[in-house]
Amino acid sequence: MMNEENGSSSSSSSSLVSDDGGDIENLDLLDGRRRTCSQPLLSKRKNTTSQIAIVGSNLCSIESLDYEMFENEIFRQDWRSAKKVQVFQYVVLKWAFALLIGIVTGLVGFFNNIAVENIAGFKLLLTTALMSDKKYYKAFAAYAAINVALAAAAAALCAFIAPAAAGSGIPEVKAYLNGVDAHSILAPSTLFVKIFGSILGVSAGFVVGKEGPMVHTGACIASFLGQGGSRKYHLTWSWLRYFKNDCDRRDLITCGAAAGVAAAFRAPVGGVLFALEEAASWWRSALLWRTFFTTAVVAIVLRGFIQYCTTGNCGLFGEGGLIMYDVSAAGATYSGPDILAVLFLGTVGGILGSIYNYFVNKVIRTYSIIHEKGAAPKILLVITIALLTSCLSYGLPWFAECQPCPTDESVSCPTVGKSGNYKSFNCPSGYYNDLASLFLNTNDDAIRNLFSTSTKKEFHISSLFIFFAAIYCLGIITYGIAIPSGLFIPVILAGACYGRLVGRLFESISTLDTGLFALLGAASFLGGTMRMTVSLCIILLELTNDLLLLPLVMLVLLISKTVADNFNKGIYDQIVKIKGLPYLEAHAEPYMRQLVTADVATGPLVTFSGIEKVGRILDALRTTGHNGFPVIDEPPFSDAPELCGLVLRSHLLILLKGKVFSRERVVCEEEILGRFAAFNFAKAGSGKGIKVEDLDIEEEEMDMYVDLHPITNASPYTVVETMSLAKAAILFRQLGLRHLCLVPKSQGRPPIVGILTRHDFMPEHILGLYPHIKAHKS
């Protein structure tokens, strides 16, 4: 099927990917009514071979990215004329940007942590002080009021300034690196809200983390730098023209995503592996080196500030925030019964993780209905969840029995004025409330308490059950509200509690410390929800500083992922689908082997001659939303019709605005090459590029001609029309294409018979055209 990215002229065809950058209206072409991204269109199959109607897809103003380097004559001239100093400057700038991304992301990561620790610390100290004076109702009122105020502020930022900042941001970054440019996901306003919204949301006591948003934050920082700033906010740098293309920006955003993980977990190697395993769809060795360098810079920046904070100059900020769960004190020797316990841990963790994903999926779909009603319902939902969380966090510890403090004199019990394992809450002197030690702490400190070693009896089994059930359910209903929220910490928190619980149940046959069981439980939950293995393994090892656990962590991750894969997809893959982002999977669907490329492409195409009339080009730009147009040379400019290449909509607009026209149909290549440079055709940053409405073409100019050869990509990727659709899908994704030209197998036909775009590989489109294939998947 031809769509808005290619040159189809079929009046009844549309696209999942409306790739015009906002120039055209998103309309249902069958009945003229506007639809939103979440409204599927009806599937219809025309009886004619020249027209195919819309096929079960979503109409969204989502743009695909041009990762392919466009080789037209203007860019070739630019490459030929490039001096060695310019090439050197380009290489130096790439490494300088990696350095800058690492420094800025590290600073933002530190700022996030110090802000959360101080805001949440003030709230918890105030609550504890009121409780110590037996003012229990005032303590709850203060605790809940601060949580609601912080939550409302975070929701207001998301609702009014940058709705794209809500959620984790990892699915959006993952989709971008796959070639999808959803609206505003990397805008400066999104970066602002992501930073401050995440601080407010985590400080409000929600069961969310700041780690997922840090990945998005790192990507936003990289995008902001790579596009040369923002025209909208009058922050632009012309000397960054080298990066005015999607290919270089993709590399920078990959570095930014890795830096985000490194800043969130103090796990530089884990950050690189996360970008490689989960985020990036395209990788090469040079990018590996640059990403590793970026995360190393982040680690150095964080280490420097941690050293500074040990002097007490960071307020309440201490060991919390920049999390480091040291479990190396526990012996990691294990035997046969320990392996059986780990197998059980991984299996049940995979099942619980898949159930978690199922309910998160349902909750997000439900919340999306509320979010469509406007900003007020969004904020009201956030306040409701904040109140519920506050009630549970403050109320459930009242059901726990007070435990006697340990006799070890090195332990401060009860813990007063700082984070720790022993919160007195409502208990008398010499006793502590184990459930309050988990609820009335920051999430990072609660995880540290669960990971603590040589504290087998510290948490009662009933308290662990209550805490696990509460965190598991709160994590499900909290993700999807209109605040920046990560999934890593809720999953680690629930998994650590579950692991410690299993450790208590298996203490009669297992010699492993309950703190190690908590770590393995967190690994099983992460594997069951996110379905990553290598990167999670390294992140956990960097978090806990214990290489002796490597075999057990590897085993539990493999088991939990294998078990969970039998039920549903990973959480980020599900969110990508819910958001309607046209993500191309790494493997082709089995039914694609039954089809060839010609089966999903129709004509006729909107094509241009090598030297075309201005009026015809303008008419095509006004009446279609296509972004790629085949250029065909015909006699007398060639012996027979031949494919000259592909020209982009954005390049046509720039050329028409320059008005290099001629009254005769003659070649004007030299004049165009002298008038334009490659920089003129660079992709615009945050500011919008040229639109059709910006053109000022006089009536007499409509009959004049313009030479398209200098801006035509003379070497577009082409495949024969009989190629397997599965093979073409893999090729399309691995090369990062936006357009894939189909050429005929036999002679005597037009030199191009169709163009495939991202939309044509979407299951909704293919199964809409051929619904009978569903029953014949192999």
Side-chain angles (χ1 to χ4, degrees), residues 378-391:
K378 287 183 182 180
I379 298 174
L380 186 60
L381 176 62
V382 171
I383 292 174
T384 303
I385 301 297
L387 280 173
L388 176 61
T389 304
S390 300
C391 290

Side-chain angles (χ1 to χ4, degrees), residues 290-311:
R290 231 167 37 248
T291 307
F292 185 69
F293 173 69
T294 305
T295 57
V297 171
V298 172
I300 293 170
V301 170
L302 292 180
R303 173 56 61 187
F305 279 102
I306 290 171
Q307 292 296 113
Y308 173 75
C309 285
T310 56
T311 60

Side-chain angles (χ1 to χ4, degrees), residues 165 361 380 448 464 508 555 572 672 693:
N361 187 312
L380 186 60
R448 186 174 291 104
L464 292 174
S508 60
L555 180 62
Y572 295 134
I672 292 175
E693 293 78 13

Side-chain angles (χ1 to χ4, degrees), residues 258-595:
V261 174
F265 292 107
R266 285 171 60 193
V269 179
V272 175
L273 292 175
F274 174 85
L276 172 60
E277 181 180 6
E278 180 66 13
S281 297
W282 187 86
W283 199 262
R284 69 182 192 279
S285 59
L287 180 58
L288 177 66
W289 276 104
R290 231 167 37 248
T291 307
F292 185 69
F293 173 69
T294 305
T295 57
V297 171
V298 172
I300 293 170
V301 170
L302 292 180
R303 173 56 61 187
F305 279 102
I306 290 171
Q307 292 296 113
Y308 173 75
C309 285
T310 56
T311 60
N313 295 321
C314 300
L316 297 172
F317 180 81
E319 292 182 354
L322 287 170
I323 46 183
M324 190 70 169
Y325 312 123
D326 194 344
V327 298
S328 58
T333 56
Y334 38 88
S335 57
D338 298 324
I339 300 299
L340 290 177
V342 169
L343 292 175
F344 173 83
L345 198 69
T347 303
V348 177
I351 295 172
L352 290 174
S354 62
I355 295 173
Y356 191 92
N357 288 4
Y358 173 81
F359 283 111
V360 167
N361 187 312
K362 297 298 181 184
V363 166
I364 292 176
R365 292 181 184 275
T366 303
Y367 286 172
S368 66
I369 299 172
I370 299 174
H371 293 167
E372 288 176 359
K373 296 180 180 179
K378 287 183 182 180
I379 298 174
L380 186 60
L381 176 62
V382 171
I383 292 174
T384 303
I385 301 297
L387 280 173
L388 176 61
T389 304
S390 300
C391 290
L392 291 177
S393 299
Y394 189 86
L396 288 178
W398 289 92
F399 294 96
E401 295 183 1
C402 292
Q403 307 287 326
C405 285
T407 57
D408 187 357
E409 295 183 357
S410 63
V411 174
S412 174
C413 179
T415 304
V416 179
K418 61 178 181 178
S419 63
N421 291 31
Y422 306 102
K423 294 284 186 180
S424 61
F425 197 63
N426 60 334
C427 296
S429 178
Y431 288 82
Y432 71 96
N433 188 311
D434 57 348
L435 206 49
S437 299
L438 296 175
F439 275 117
L440 294 180
N441 254 326
T442 62
N443 292 335
D444 291 345
D445 287 329
I447 294 172
R448 186 174 291 104
N449 291 346
L450 290 169
F451 278 2
S452 60
T453 56
S454 303
T455 54
K456 181 177 291 187
K457 305 293 185 181
E458 179 184 335
F459 299 102
H460 195 270
I461 291 181
S462 60
S463 297
L464 292 174
F465 265 116
I466 293 172
F467 186 71
F468 172 73
I471 293 300
Y472 191 87
C473 295
L474 285 174
I476 290 172
I477 65 173
T478 303
Y479 193 82
I481 61 176
I483 63 169
S485 53
L487 277 169
F488 273 102
I489 290 301
V491 171
I492 292 176
L493 192 56
C497 186
Y498 151 73
R500 196 172 185 96
L501 192 56
V502 171
R504 291 294 303 272
L505 297 176
F506 278 83
E507 62 184 356
S508 60
I509 65 169
S510 176
T511 58
L512 285 178
D513 190 278
T514 50
L516 301 185
F517 265 108
L519 171 63
L520 296 174
S524 72
F525 247 54
L526 286 168
T529 55
M530 300 182 183
R531 313 296 161 81
M532 293 179 279
T533 52
V534 180
S535 56
L536 285 180
C537 183
I538 299 303
I539 287 173
L540 287 172
L541 292 179
E542 289 185 282
L543 274 178
T544 56
N545 193 29
D546 193 353
L547 282 174
L548 294 176
L549 280 176
L550 178 61
L552 293 182
V553 174
M554 292 174 66
L555 180 62
V556 78
L557 279 170
L558 288 170
I559 293 172
S560 61
K561 181 186 186 306
T562 303
V563 170
D565 278 340
N566 291 304
F567 297 100
N568 50 33
K569 288 188 174 183
I571 187 64
Y572 295 134
D573 292 323
Q574 292 191 37
I575 295 172
V576 165
K577 186 174 182 181
I578 291 171
K579 290 179 176 291
L581 301 173
Y583 185 86
L584 288 175
E585 298 290 347
H587 60 277
E589 296 291 341
Y591 54 77
M592 289 186 180
R593 294 197 295 267
Q594 304 175 34
L595 302 171

Side-chain angles (χ1 to χ4, degrees), residues 111-112 154 157 191-201 484:
F111 172 73
N112 281 4
L157 287 176
L191 173 61
F192 172 81
V193 174
K194 206 72 181 184
I195 295 172
F196 291 97
S198 176
I199 292 172
L200 294 170

